[in-house]
Amino acid sequence: MTQPIDAAQLCADYWSTSIIDIHPGSIRVRGYPIQDLIGQVSFPQMIWLMLRGELPSHAQASLLEAALVASVDHGPQAPSIAISRMATSCGLPLNGAMASAINALDDVHGGAGQQSVELYESIAVLIDGGLALDRAAERGVDAFTEAHGKYLPGFGHRFHPVDPRAGRLLAFVDTQVEAGVIGGRYAAIARGIESLLKARKDRPVPMNIDGVTAVIYAELGFPAELARGVFCLSRAVGILAHAWEQRGRNERNKGPLPRQIPYRYTGEAERQLR
Amino acid sequence: MTQPIDAAQLCADYWSTSIIDIHPGSIRVRGYPIQDLIGQVSFPQMIWLMLRGELPSHAQASLLEAALVASVDHGPQAPSIAISRMATSCGLPLNGAMASAINALDDVHGGAGQQSVELYESIAVLIDGGLALDRAAERGVDAFTEAHGKYLPGFGHRFHPVDPRAGRLLAFVDTQVEAGVIGGRYAAIARGIESLLKARKDRPVPMNIDGVTAVIYAELGFPAELARGVFCLSRAVGILAHAWEQRGRNERNKGPLPRQIPYRYTGEAERQLR
Amino acid sequence: MTQPIDAAQLCADYWSTSIIDIHPGSIRVRGYPIQDLIGQVSFPQMIWLMLRGELPSHAQASLLEAALVASVDHGPQAPSIAISRMATSCGLPLNGAMASAINALDDVHGGAGQQSVELYESIAVLIDGGLALDRAAERGVDAFTEAHGKYLPGFGHRFHPVDPRAGRLLAFVDTQVEAGVIGGRYAAIARGIESLLKARKDRPVPMNIDGVTAVIYAELGFPAELARGVFCLSRAVGILAHAWEQRGRNERNKGPLPRQIPYRYTGEAERQLR
Amino acid sequence: MTQPIDAAQLCADYWSTSIIDIHPGSIRVRGYPIQDLIGQVSFPQMIWLMLRGELPSHAQASLLEAALVASVDHGPQAPSIAISRMATSCGLPLNGAMASAINALDDVHGGAGQQSVELYESIAVLIDGGLALDRAAERGVDAFTEAHGKYLPGFGHRFHPVDPRAGRLLAFVDTQVEAGVIGGRYAAIARGIESLLKARKDRPVPMNIDGVTAVIYAELGFPAELARGVFCLSRAVGILAHAWEQRGRNERNKGPLPRQIPYRYTGEAERQLR
């Protein structure tokens, strides 16, 4: 028999959290009264506090902020953005369009940052074990592609020969390394991979946006999985903006192609039942 | 017959957007090369640029930022947060948990800001038509409750006698009115509603977080529906933080109640088929 | 203070349901032991039992089944189907692709059946009030379009001059009316609307699949909103089938258009920050 | 340069499908005119046709139907069902509540059937390689738990000492084996696992609903991943029924616990900024 006295306690423990403490008239986030944070900390600082438990310095937050700014959108050819627009045309409110779209930021579409951090970390472990950077990059990349297939996340881009976001972001990383905000270890590892790929392919396979934001997340101490989570926060902005632009149009049930263009049927010819 | 020459053009027009222009090696957001924005504009400025088409001033962005910071979380009793944690325990990655949860920020859970802006705007129209604030507030509130039922969004809170976020945010609004950043019209309207409710109910029904963030969105010129969209961006942070905390636990298939506590069945007694 | 003894009771009541009663070793659905239902009732009968609380006759279930069979798919140009395929290419498992897609079956894409039932019911009320069918149809249609805009759900199809599903389904309805399974009232109302539209437009605007399934749902006593819910169960099949077909392809991050076809940018020309 | 003539062709191929062929006035599913299927095939037959490309026999369909009937619901303590009810209370329409809930049928909550099929198939391969059933079951189970951890899907239930659905379903499987509808290989494998677990744990760890439905899917030739997909179709019914029951209640923003029961905060004590 459940003893009556346990139920409230069981429930309290079952839904316990270390993130937020709420009482009538009082909200504290990670210990800070919410009214002390409002107007005092930036949105990226608040994101950091919520995810990590402590407030970052302004310099740390500026790196996170640059990553958040860089990834908001990549246009309607990206499945997440197209889904947002199509869902909106089906009658969904903004929250619903965002949900269908953010859901699609899965392993293939939203997982590259997470996978890049995992790759960098695996190479860092090899270096800690005594390997030189170039050798560690080689071994790490080989192990990664063996385990996950030929797509190496964070390097190369099927559309951009050089990703215009990557160079700018990496330059910003470098200034923060010089300023002592971050150590620079993962920037070096990522560049080591870049060198390896260039040598192997005999052409540049430059770091892309996911490769550089992964450097930032790793330098800042974010666990790999949060690279995906933070990317979702960033891309949510583009998803929302496109849903909103779509709202202003009169399209109903927007499919992927203009109605005038048919798709090809490749299945069974007409046949009769029985 | 569709003429071949039309298809590419049809497709290009069908997926046209004014938000982002992408070419190999080039990404421009609202006309700005992305590399000029990274490290230069804040995340709230970027959100504004994406949604509105132009960059805000720093003072304008600081108001948006305060609203974004204020709404990130209201604990695991909020359905969106609970859904995020439950979904995580079912095996969903962070993007998936965020999707199920953000989806729930619909009319009742995430719509109060939007509805408050609509309410304020309806009162502003009445004032433009010649009514005094108190009379316009009365008429606007009555029309709103007649159309939408007894819940007046933005005022009162079932948990907080006084919402600790509201006073701080409203004070920040006031400083920005004094500084000439915003006009103050919607702050006055919201206070007019507060006065009306206090007089009618013979007790204070103070502005809550949704009521004040709606003042901010209205003062900054955001259309009502975007109040919901921006709230989703803010609450997405709490949803992500709770999904992440949940990830660190060993719970599988987390239901709403601890397993030891049964639910009550209220249906048909046992019966036999046929 | 909450008294300890209340908590378990509060929880039990809070999550009470009349649908299913579960105890260790025992599951009863609407009072029927689950083992009595398995292998004995059809899936449509089970759907009915779950939604309505009682088992339908075989004849009633056959009508529901015909509606379920008719609506499973309308090809990859339908946004729900396209979303399912795009989401799959982003790495989502089948449940996730189904979620993003079913979410899009909102007012515009999945709401036509519900709206048609509402339209029929409004006309039934007018007939109950003494109007003849033709006059009631006229008034009902006018009131509906005034309230909801020019799209009259359930009639006409932007792609099919005559919906091949509608005639077959309606013939099946007629046989069940003759057999006394259903009364035929809503079939008559729907035909009344068809006559009205033909007279007004001087060309046929025939009932489509949503118009006929709405007849079935209304004849069977389903509340209007469940017409949407049951449609979601049906279309879930097509959504799943297309997700599964997509799984067999090597596409990653499938956008709406082939990569070779660009979209058109319509926004601000390139500009400099500040 | 893209040649104009290619665009329509590219689009047609890009969205090609073998499932459904649609032309004005004509819809063919897997080659069958839709009007020939409506009223002629059962919903489970239609599900099979859509997923597999061919129509099943009635006997085959009856097995699929039994699995569909058996899994519709497991009450509001299941996260998917709770999410459906909570989402409904947030204002979501039925499609939206279904989406948030079906999304949660991921690896942990909805993946047991898929994992069981994979387990059975791995044992079948060992038997094909010459091992006896008991030895193959041993090797297969060990390999599975080594790869995936201690939870063995399909066997044992944290709530039901004996799952009331499993025995009934398995008896139905046996009759179909006797009738020659299916071969019985996977039923034997599942029973082999059951024997192994009983011997190892010195107590019965009986097959649960997922273990038996996986037998059915494997016997019927469904690929493992479709076990998850078909389960989603089944559980969608319970998700819809609970959303609909919830719609009839006046709850707004239903959280996991009754409001009177607080959760426990486990984080940082109150602290001051800076």
Side-chain angles (χ1 to χ4, degrees):
Chain A
M1 282 300 93
T2 306
Q3 292 188 306
I5 199 163
D6 291 330
Q9 191 60 47
L10 276 171
C11 288
D13 288 345
Y14 190 64
W15 283 101
S16 68
T17 179
S18 68
I19 297 173
I20 190 165
D21 192 20
I22 303 180
H23 298 277
S26 160
I27 298 173
R28 286 194 291 271
V29 176
R30 302 290 194 183
Y32 297 108
I34 186 77
Q35 62 272 25
D36 293 357
L37 298 168
I38 296 170
Q40 295 298 323
V41 303
S42 72
F43 191 39
Q45 284 180 302
M46 190 67 172
I47 292 170
W48 185 304
L49 176 65
M50 288 288 289
L51 296 177
R52 309 281 298 271
E54 297 295 331
L55 281 164
S57 69
H58 284 283
Q60 288 173 317
S62 72
L63 271 166
L64 174 61
E65 187 148 37
L68 285 163
V69 165
S71 304
V72 292
D73 192 12
H74 202 259
Q77 291 272 43
S80 54
I81 301 297
I83 289 173
S84 175
R85 300 189 75 117
M86 294 165 75
T88 298
S89 80
C90 294
L92 283 167
L94 296 175
N95 54 298
M98 291 172 76
S100 275
I102 289 173
N103 208 28
L105 300 176
D106 210 82
D107 289 3
V108 176
H109 190 16
Q114 173 179 350
Q115 293 149 19
S116 297
V117 172
E118 289 164 355
L119 171 62
Y120 300 163
E121 286 175 346
S122 73
I123 293 171
V125 166
L126 293 171
I127 294 172
D128 287 345
L131 285 190
L133 170 57
D134 56 351
R135 187 75 191 102
E138 204 170 350
R139 283 260 286 276
V141 166
D142 289 346
F144 192 93
T145 52
E146 191 176 352
H148 300 99
K150 64 174 180 167
Y151 291 97
L152 194 70
F155 296 85
H157 200 286
R158 66 189 188 194
F159 188 80
H160 298 295
V162 176
D163 188 323
R165 299 162 292 189
R168 176 68 188 91
L169 260 187
L170 196 57
F172 191 50
V173 166
D174 289 341
T175 66
Q176 300 308 92
V177 174
E178 278 163 43
V181 175
I182 49 177
R185 175 178 217 193
Y186 295 98
I189 288 173
R191 284 189 166 113
I193 297 172
E194 218 174 34
S195 299
L196 173 73
L197 297 178
K198 187 175 180 182
R200 282 187 170 175
K201 309 242 178 181
D202 220 24
R203 61 173 173 80
V205 185
M207 229 177 291
N208 62 32
I209 177 74
D210 297 310
V212 188
T213 54
V215 166
I216 292 176
Y217 299 131
E219 294 280 353
L220 294 174
F222 280 83
E225 198 177 352
L226 279 183
R228 180 194 301 222
V230 174
F231 172 71
C232 289
L233 294 180
S234 172
R235 183 55 57 94
V237 177
I239 286 167
L240 171 59
H242 283 272
W244 176 242
E245 187 183 58
Q246 182 67 40
R247 175 73 80 238
R249 300 195 179 167
N250 264 331
E251 290 170 306
R252 290 167 61 89
N253 290 331
K254 183 183 181 74
L257 300 176
R259 301 187 199 305
Q260 303 89 329
I261 304 181
Y263 67 90
R264 190 158 68 87
Y265 174 67
T266 62
E268 287 284 324
E270 181 166 356
R271 50 180 168 168
Q272 302 307 314
L273 202 59
R274 259 7 58 109
Chain B
M1 282 301 94
T2 306
Q3 292 187 308
I5 198 162
D6 290 330
Q9 192 60 46
L10 276 171
C11 288
D13 288 345
Y14 189 64
W15 283 101
S16 68
T17 178
S18 67
I19 297 172
I20 190 165
D21 193 20
I22 302 180
H23 298 278
S26 160
I27 299 173
R28 286 194 291 270
V29 176
R30 303 290 195 183
Y32 298 108
I34 186 78
Q35 62 272 24
D36 293 358
L37 297 169
I38 296 170
Q40 295 299 322
V41 303
S42 71
F43 190 38
Q45 284 180 302
M46 190 67 171
I47 292 170
W48 184 306
L49 176 65
M50 288 288 290
L51 296 176
R52 309 281 297 270
E54 295 295 331
L55 281 165
S57 70
H58 284 283
Q60 288 173 316
S62 72
L63 269 165
L64 174 62
E65 187 148 39
L68 285 163
V69 164
S71 305
V72 292
D73 192 12
H74 202 259
Q77 291 272 45
S80 55
I81 301 297
I83 289 173
S84 175
R85 299 188 77 118
M86 293 164 76
T88 299
S89 81
C90 294
L92 283 167
L94 296 175
N95 54 298
M98 291 172 75
S100 275
I102 289 172
N103 208 29
L105 300 176
D106 210 82
D107 290 2
V108 176
H109 189 17
Q114 174 178 350
Q115 294 149 18
S116 296
V117 173
E118 289 165 356
L119 171 64
Y120 301 163
E121 287 175 347
S122 72
I123 293 172
V125 167
L126 293 171
I127 294 173
D128 288 345
L131 285 190
L133 170 58
D134 57 351
R135 186 79 191 99
E138 204 170 350
R139 284 260 288 275
V141 166
D142 288 346
F144 193 93
T145 52
E146 191 174 354
H148 299 98
K150 63 173 179 164
Y151 291 98
L152 193 71
F155 295 85
H157 199 285
R158 65 189 187 192
F159 188 80
H160 297 295
V162 176
D163 189 323
R165 300 162 291 189
R168 175 69 187 93
L169 260 187
L170 195 57
F172 190 52
V173 166
D174 290 341
T175 65
Q176 301 306 95
V177 173
E178 279 164 43
V181 175
I182 49 178
R185 172 177 220 197
Y186 295 97
I189 288 173
R191 285 190 166 110
I193 297 173
E194 219 175 31
S195 299
L196 173 73
L197 296 178
K198 187 177 180 180
R200 282 187 170 176
K201 309 241 178 185
D202 218 23
R203 61 174 173 80
V205 184
M207 228 177 291
N208 61 32
I209 176 74
D210 297 311
V212 188
T213 54
V215 166
I216 292 177
Y217 298 131
E219 294 280 354
L220 294 174
F222 281 82
E225 196 176 353
L226 278 184
R228 179 193 303 224
V230 174
F231 172 71
C232 288
L233 294 180
S234 172
R235 183 54 57 93
V237 177
I239 287 167
L240 171 59
H242 283 271
W244 177 241
E245 187 183 56
Q246 182 68 39
R247 175 72 81 238
R249 300 190 180 171
N250 263 330
E251 290 171 306
R252 290 166 59 89
N253 290 332
K254 184 183 180 75
L257 301 176
R259 299 186 200 306
Q260 302 90 330
I261 304 181
Y263 67 90
R264 190 158 68 87
Y265 174 66
T266 62
E268 286 284 324
E270 182 167 352
R271 52 181 169 169
Q272 303 307 314
L273 202 59
R274 266 350 76 96
Chain C
M1 281 300 93
T2 305
Q3 292 187 306
I5 199 164
D6 289 329
Q9 192 59 49
L10 276 170
C11 288
D13 288 344
Y14 189 64
W15 284 101
S16 68
T17 178
S18 67
I19 297 173
I20 191 165
D21 193 20
I22 302 180
H23 298 278
S26 160
I27 299 173
R28 286 194 290 271
V29 175
R30 301 291 194 184
Y32 297 109
I34 185 81
Q35 61 271 26
D36 293 357
L37 297 169
I38 295 170
Q40 295 298 323
V41 303
S42 71
F43 190 39
Q45 284 180 300
M46 190 68 173
I47 292 170
W48 184 305
L49 176 66
M50 288 288 290
L51 296 176
R52 309 281 298 272
E54 297 295 331
L55 280 165
S57 70
H58 284 283
Q60 288 173 316
S62 72
L63 270 165
L64 174 60
E65 187 149 37
L68 285 163
V69 164
S71 305
V72 292
D73 193 13
H74 203 259
Q77 290 272 42
S80 54
I81 301 296
I83 289 173
S84 174
R85 299 190 76 118
M86 294 164 76
T88 298
S89 81
C90 294
L92 283 167
L94 296 175
N95 55 297
M98 291 172 75
S100 275
I102 288 173
N103 208 29
L105 300 176
D106 211 81
D107 290 2
V108 176
H109 189 15
Q114 173 179 351
Q115 293 149 19
S116 297
V117 173
E118 289 164 356
L119 171 63
Y120 300 163
E121 286 176 346
S122 73
I123 293 171
V125 167
L126 293 171
I127 294 172
D128 288 344
L131 284 190
L133 170 58
D134 57 350
R135 187 77 191 99
E138 204 170 351
R139 284 260 287 275
V141 166
D142 288 347
F144 193 93
T145 52
E146 191 174 352
H148 300 98
K150 63 172 178 165
Y151 291 98
L152 193 70
F155 296 84
H157 199 285
R158 66 188 187 194
F159 188 80
H160 299 295
V162 176
D163 188 323
R165 299 162 293 188
R168 175 70 188 91
L169 260 187
L170 196 56
F172 190 50
V173 166
D174 289 341
T175 65
Q176 299 307 92
V177 173
E178 279 164 43
V181 175
I182 49 177
R185 172 176 222 197
Y186 295 99
I189 288 173
R191 284 192 167 109
I193 297 173
E194 219 176 32
S195 298
L196 173 73
L197 296 178
K198 187 176 180 182
R200 282 186 170 174
K201 308 241 178 184
D202 219 23
R203 62 173 173 81
V205 184
M207 229 177 291
N208 62 32
I209 176 74
D210 297 312
V212 189
T213 54
V215 166
I216 292 177
Y217 299 131
E219 294 280 354
L220 295 174
F222 280 82
E225 197 177 353
L226 278 183
R228 181 194 300 224
V230 174
F231 173 72
C232 288
L233 294 181
S234 172
R235 184 53 59 92
V237 177
I239 287 167
L240 171 59
H242 282 272
W244 177 242
E245 187 182 59
Q246 182 68 41
R247 175 72 81 236
R249 299 192 181 170
N250 262 331
E251 290 170 305
R252 290 166 60 90
N253 289 331
K254 183 182 181 75
L257 301 176
R259 300 186 199 306
Q260 303 89 329
I261 304 180
Y263 68 89
R264 190 159 68 88
Y265 174 66
T266 62
E268 287 284 326
E270 182 167 354
R271 52 182 169 167
Q272 302 308 313
L273 202 59
R274 272 342 78 100
Chain D
M1 282 300 94
T2 305
Q3 291 187 307
I5 200 165
D6 288 333
Q9 192 60 47
L10 275 172
C11 288
D13 289 344
Y14 189 64
W15 284 102
S16 68
T17 179
S18 67
I19 297 173
I20 191 165
D21 193 19
I22 302 180
H23 298 277
S26 160
I27 299 173
R28 285 194 291 271
V29 176
R30 301 291 194 183
Y32 297 108
I34 186 79
Q35 62 272 25
D36 293 358
L37 297 169
I38 296 170
Q40 295 297 323
V41 303
S42 71
F43 191 38
Q45 284 180 302
M46 190 68 172
I47 292 170
W48 184 303
L49 176 65
M50 289 287 290
L51 296 177
R52 308 281 298 270
E54 296 296 331
L55 280 165
S57 70
H58 284 283
Q60 288 173 316
S62 71
L63 271 166
L64 174 61
E65 187 149 38
L68 286 162
V69 165
S71 305
V72 292
D73 192 11
H74 202 258
Q77 290 271 43
S80 54
I81 301 297
I83 289 173
S84 175
R85 299 189 76 118
M86 294 164 75
T88 299
S89 81
C90 294
L92 282 167
L94 295 175
N95 55 298
M98 291 173 76
S100 275
I102 288 172
N103 208 30
L105 300 175
D106 211 81
D107 290 2
V108 177
H109 189 16
Q114 173 179 351
Q115 293 149 18
S116 297
V117 173
E118 289 164 355
L119 171 63
Y120 300 162
E121 287 175 346
S122 74
I123 293 172
V125 167
L126 293 171
I127 293 172
D128 287 346
L131 284 190
L133 170 57
D134 56 351
R135 186 78 191 100
E138 204 170 350
R139 283 259 288 276
V141 166
D142 289 346
F144 193 92
T145 52
E146 191 174 353
H148 301 98
K150 62 173 179 165
Y151 292 97
L152 193 71
F155 296 85
H157 199 285
R158 66 190 187 192
F159 187 79
H160 298 295
V162 177
D163 189 322
R165 299 162 292 189
R168 177 69 187 95
L169 260 186
L170 195 57
F172 191 51
V173 166
D174 290 340
T175 67
Q176 300 307 94
V177 174
E178 279 163 43
V181 175
I182 49 178
R185 173 175 220 197
Y186 296 98
I189 288 173
R191 284 189 166 112
I193 297 172
E194 218 175 31
S195 299
L196 173 73
L197 297 178
K198 188 176 180 183
R200 282 186 171 175
K201 308 240 178 185
D202 219 23
R203 61 172 173 82
V205 185
M207 230 178 289
N208 61 32
I209 177 75
D210 297 312
V212 189
T213 54
V215 167
I216 292 177
Y217 299 131
E219 293 281 353
L220 295 174
F222 280 82
E225 196 176 353
L226 278 184
R228 180 194 302 224
V230 174
F231 173 71
C232 289
L233 294 181
S234 173
R235 184 53 59 92
V237 177
I239 287 166
L240 172 59
H242 283 272
W244 177 241
E245 187 183 58
Q246 182 68 39
R247 176 71 81 238
R249 301 192 180 170
N250 262 332
E251 291 171 306
R252 290 166 60 89
N253 289 331
K254 183 183 181 73
L257 301 176
R259 298 185 201 307
Q260 303 90 329
I261 305 181
Y263 67 90
R264 190 157 69 87
Y265 174 66
T266 63
E268 286 284 324
E270 182 166 354
R271 52 181 169 169
Q272 303 307 315
L273 203 59
R274 261 359 65 104

